């Protein structure tokens, strides 16, 4: 009998609902900073309205998913009123980050809503820029904390690595960029004449960055799985489930090929070479975008689902 | 303050499961105070896992005990956002259902997989060392029910207690995980 032996028990408590939340948190968190960048650089209002609204909706839906997943939602206010509130827990830190992010993403988007006339006064612009800066920072914090949250769950050794927040942030950047190409840009092309002039340049900027991020994400994913194989028994077990075990088909086909490599090939081989917003380019950009988004959701689900708790039996 | 812990003697445990049944019966009564329909499922708070080891003719049939270690450095307490998971002065790890939101973070944080979701309560449930019995000066139900006295409970800091004497020669379960568990085993 060895000194320590383990039985692996699959983590079954955080599933699709939490995967959906982690995905939406990352998506919302990075969509707003991209809109903000185009506001600061060239006062692009259409992108701030569309991106801010998408970001706000995504984080609100994400928070609803979180609440749905709670086993005791009747006590949810304890997150704000508990006399023993634990400020060291990533669940607590994250809750405050997403609540503040929701408020600031809403505040940032509000003046861009047509008809309110808030943009007419030039002196308001510096306030919008300041609020947007805070919202963008909170967005990045939202995307990052979803990784730290899992990394601190000591039962699941597969998650206990600094690579996880890095992977989630990379995936969130890609998701945010793709939301523009898949959803925002097609809508703005139809509705905003001012956007149409800048559309090609902005798409090329976003997709060029996305290509770098996807390549980076592929490397981080490789590093994450490889280090897990050489790590603690639970991390190894989980990595094997993804690489060659029961989750391998979903992981290789869904995440790696459909979610990363195919979008990268579409960007490099087609859309980045087209300097016009023709229908085929819009369609191909949307396909690459949707594949990336679905892949990002699946990545989170599989990382949750592959988690095992190595229960010591000796 | 006492520092309660268990020593489980795997060399005398016959794997009968009386401790599991006693735990369920005793603690279902406690959960009834929270909800009429609540119960502790068999194997929920503590379980016996029978493992066969070795090669014929030198084989062993070992009954491993699966339960909360009441860690001194308990990850479930560290991650709980509302302070619902807490340690008592005696070092018992408990859940306060007035504060628990059912986020299940404690369950993913426990490297011993010692918690489960109680469907009726919607939140985590776990071994309490029969805290309600300790308050009455009684032993935990598992320890009283064991026919071979293989579950020894007491104050690990009291050098005259049986548990402290046995713990000196026993192995803390999964010590490499670094959470300072307070359940020890005497190997078979």
């Amino acid at each position: 009998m060895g000194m320590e032996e383990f039985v692996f028990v699959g983590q079954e408590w955080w599933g699709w609902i939490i995967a959906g939340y982690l995905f939406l948190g990352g998506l919302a968190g990075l969509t707003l900073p991209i809109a903000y960048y185009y506001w600061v650089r060239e006062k692009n209002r259409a992108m701030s309205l569309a991106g801010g609204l998408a970001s706000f909706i995504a984080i609100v839906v994400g928070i609803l998913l979180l609440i749905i997943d709670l086993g005791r939602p009747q006590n949810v206010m304890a997150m704000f009123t508990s006399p023993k509130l634990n400020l060291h827990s990533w669940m607590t830190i994250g809750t405050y980050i997403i609540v503040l992010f929701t408020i600031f993403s809403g505040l940032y988007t509000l003046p861009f809503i047509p008809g309110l006339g808030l943009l007419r006064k030039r002196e308001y612009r510096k306030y919008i820029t300041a609020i947007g800066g805070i919202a963008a920072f909170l967005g990045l914090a939202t995307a990052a904390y979803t990784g730290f949250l899992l990394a601190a769950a000591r039962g699941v050794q597969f998650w206990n690595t600094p690579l996880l927040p890095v992977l989630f942030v990379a995936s969130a950047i890609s998701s945010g960029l793709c939301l523009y190409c898949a959803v925002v840009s097609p809508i703005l092309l139809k509705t905003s004449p001012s956007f149409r002039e800048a559309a090609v340049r902005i798409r090329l900027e976003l997709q060029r960055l996305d290509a770098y991020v996807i390549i980076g994400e592929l490397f981080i994913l490789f590093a994450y799985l490889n280090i897990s194989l050489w790590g603690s028994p639970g991390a190894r077990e989980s990595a094997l489930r993804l690489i060659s075990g029961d989750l391998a088909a979903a992981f290789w086909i869904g995440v790696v090929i459909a979610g990363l490599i195919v979008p990268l090939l579409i960007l490099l081989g087609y859309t980045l070479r087209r300097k016009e917003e023709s229908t085929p380019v819009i369609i191909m950009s949307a396909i690459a975008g949707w594949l990336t988004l679905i892949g990002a959701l699946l990545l989170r689900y599989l990382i949750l689902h592959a988690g095992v708790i190595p229960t010591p039996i000796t | 303050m006492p520092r309660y812990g268990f020593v489980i003697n795997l060399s005398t445990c016959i794997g009968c499961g009386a401790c599991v049944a006693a735990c369920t019966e005793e603690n279902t009564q406690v959960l009834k105070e929270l909800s009429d329909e609540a119960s502790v499922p068999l194997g929920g708070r503590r379980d016996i896992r029978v493992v066969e080891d070795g090669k014929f003719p030198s084989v062993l049939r070992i009954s491993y005990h699966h339960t909360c270690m009441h860690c001194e450095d308990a990850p479930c307490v560290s991650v709980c956002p509302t302070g619902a998971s807490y340690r008592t002065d005696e070092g018992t790890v408990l859940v306060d259902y007035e504060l628990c939101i059912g986020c299940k973070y404690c369950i993913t944080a426990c490297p011993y997989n010692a918690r489960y979701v109680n469907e009726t309560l919607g939140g985590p449930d776990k071994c309490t060392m029969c805290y309600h019995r300790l308050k009455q000066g009684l032993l935990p139900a598992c320890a009283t029910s064991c026919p071979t006295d293989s579950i020894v409970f007491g104050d690990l800091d009291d050098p005259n207690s049986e548990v402290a004497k046995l713990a000196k020669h026993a192995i803390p379960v999964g010590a490499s995980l670094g959470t300072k568990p307070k359940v020890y085993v005497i190997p078979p």
Side-chain angles (χ1 to χ4, degrees), chain B residues 57-90:
Chain B
S58 64
V59 285
L60 272 177
R61 201 161 181 272
I62 312 159
S63 306
Y64 292 107
H65 291 234
H66 177 215
T67 186
C68 174
M69 303 289 138
H70 297 275
C71 305
E72 290 182 16
D73 187 5
C76 55
V77 174
S78 310
V79 302
C80 177
T82 61
S85 280
Y86 69 104
R87 293 184 69 219
T88 66
D89 293 337
E90 302 93 341

Side-chain angles (χ1 to χ4, degrees), chain A residues 209-231:
Chain A
L209 177 59
D210 193 26
Y212 287 122
V213 175
I214 292 174
I215 292 166
E217 194 182 335
L218 279 165
F219 175 70
I220 296 163
L221 193 56
F222 172 79
Y224 176 38
L225 291 177
N226 191 273
I227 287 168
S228 298
L229 284 178
W230 298 94

Side-chain angles (χ1 to χ4, degrees), chain A residues 236-289:
Chain A
R236 183 181 156 77
E237 177 77 11
S238 297
L240 284 173
R241 285 184 72 189
L242 291 177
I243 296 167
S244 56
D246 56 327
L247 306 173
F251 175 71
W252 289 112
I253 299 168
V255 174
V256 179
I257 296 174
L260 293 165
I261 292 175
V262 171
L264 181 64
L265 293 178
I266 293 175
L267 298 185
L268 295 180
Y270 185 73
T271 60
L272 279 173
R273 294 159 185 254
R274 301 289 152 147
K275 313 283 185 238
E276 87 278 334
E277 293 303 275
S278 60
T279 307
V281 173
I282 294 171
I283 289 172
M284 289 307 277
S285 295
I287 290 172

Side-chain angles (χ1 to χ4, degrees), chain B:
Chain B
M1 266 297 159
R3 192 171 65 91
Y4 290 129
F6 290 92
V7 172
I8 295 165
N9 191 341
L10 295 182
S11 69
T12 56
C13 170
I14 54 172
C16 66
C19 52
V20 177
C23 172
T24 292
E25 185 166 324
E26 176 72 31
N27 290 296
T28 291
Q29 298 312 312
V30 180
L31 289 194
K32 290 266 182 265
E33 290 166 19
L34 291 169
S35 163
D36 285 344
E37 292 105 57
S39 63
V40 176
L42 272 177
R45 288 194 180 190
R46 92 183 320 282
D47 202 4
I48 299 267
R49 189 178 279 122
V50 179
V51 176
E52 286 171 10
D53 203 23
K55 267 201 176 129
F56 181 81
S58 64
V59 285
L60 272 177
R61 201 161 181 272
I62 312 159
S63 306
Y64 292 107
H65 291 234
H66 177 215
T67 186
C68 174
M69 303 289 138
H70 297 275
C71 305
E72 290 182 16
D73 187 5
C76 55
V77 174
S78 310
V79 302
C80 177
T82 61
S85 280
Y86 69 104
R87 293 184 69 219
T88 66
D89 293 337
E90 302 93 341
T92 311
V93 176
L94 298 177
V95 179
D96 178 355
Y97 272 100
E98 297 288 312
L99 293 176
C100 176
I101 60 170
C103 69
K104 303 176 272 286
Y105 202 10
C106 55
I107 302 181
T108 61
C110 174
Y112 292 91
N113 195 33
R115 293 176 172 229
Y116 71 100
V117 175
N118 189 292
E119 296 298 335
T120 314
L121 298 174
D125 187 42
K126 62 181 285 301
C127 163
T128 61
M129 292 182 173
C130 286
Y131 196 68
H132 60 291
R133 288 174 61 91
L134 300 187
K135 289 283 151 191
Q136 303 163 32
L138 299 169
L139 286 171
C142 55
T144 36
S145 68
C146 180
T148 58
D149 284 335
S150 299
I151 301 176
V152 181
F153 177 85
D155 180 3
L156 291 164
D157 281 348
D158 174 5
N160 297 318
S161 72
E162 195 191 354
V163 78
K165 286 175 190 162
L166 288 172
K168 272 186 202 156
H169 308 289
I171 304 165
V173 178
S176 71
L177 296 165
T179 60
K180 298 181 192 157
K182 293 206 302 279
V183 177
Y184 296 73
V185 289
I186 297 170

Side-chain angles (χ1 to χ4, degrees), chain A residues 94-107:
Chain A
T95 300
Y96 284 87
I97 290 174
I98 58 176
V99 167
L100 288 173
F101 176 59
T102 308
I103 294 168
F104 275 88
S105 66
L107 281 177

